[in-house]
Each structure stands twice: as C-alpha cells, then as structure tokens.
Amino acid sequence: MTQDEKWLTRYNEVKTFIETNKRNPSKHRLEEHDMLNWLKANRKVMNAGLLKAERVEPFLQLLGLIEKYKRLNQYI
C-alpha cells in the first residue's frame, strides 16, 4: 500500500466517522485518538505549506465538515 493509498484510506475513515456520528473525533475517547492525531498532523503539514497539492482540496473540504460540527455536544 502506497502512502497516497494510506492517506486516502484514513481520509475516508475520518470523513465517514464525522458524517455518521454527526461530531468530530473526541480527544477523550481512546479509540478516536488515531483519527484526531491524523487530523492534527495533516493540519500542521498544510499550514507549513508542505501538503501534497492533490491532497489540499480534499483536506480543506474535510476541515469545512469539521467546522460544521465544531463544539457540538456529542452527548445529545
């Protein structure tokens, strides 16, 4: 599996999680830490201007989805 395939797999996993659960990955749940760490790492790379060009647009869409559910009470 190439790096691009791994990235896309994780991207789809995070996107599906947010759309299904109507919330962002929680820092308080161990099983969601991998997704949260992936998001933080990619945000850091993007802000440094080092994210691959073909990944920027999908990642920006994902950040838009995250913004939609930001600070949403996950226990509703």
Side-chain angles (χ1 to χ4, degrees):
M1 189 179 256
T2 67
Q3 284 299 108
D4 288 335
E5 289 169 338
K6 287 180 184 176
W7 190 90
L8 197 58
T9 302
R10 181 64 73 170
Y11 169 83
N12 288 327
E13 180 185 333
V14 173
K15 187 174 181 195
T16 304
F17 175 86
I18 294 171
E19 289 171 340
T20 305
N21 296 296
K22 304 277 189 262
R23 65 177 179 82
N24 296 325
S26 170
K27 66 181 179 183
H28 301 291
R29 296 185 181 191
L30 288 175
E31 63 273 11
E32 297 171 15
H33 277 196
D34 286 346
M35 289 185 278
L36 197 61
N37 289 340
W38 182 87
L39 282 167
K40 288 184 343 188
N42 277 280
R43 191 179 288 133
K44 204 171 182 179
V45 170
M46 188 181 75
N47 289 340
L50 303 173
L51 192 63
K52 288 185 178 179
E54 65 272 11
R55 294 180 182 175
V56 172
E57 187 55 39
F59 194 67
L60 286 174
Q61 290 174 358
L62 189 61
L63 290 179
L65 189 61
I66 287 170
E67 205 54 42
K68 182 179 172 187
Y69 294 110
K70 196 172 187 177
R71 294 186 182 90
L72 188 68
N73 186 343
Q74 56 190 308
Y75 299 107
I76 294 177

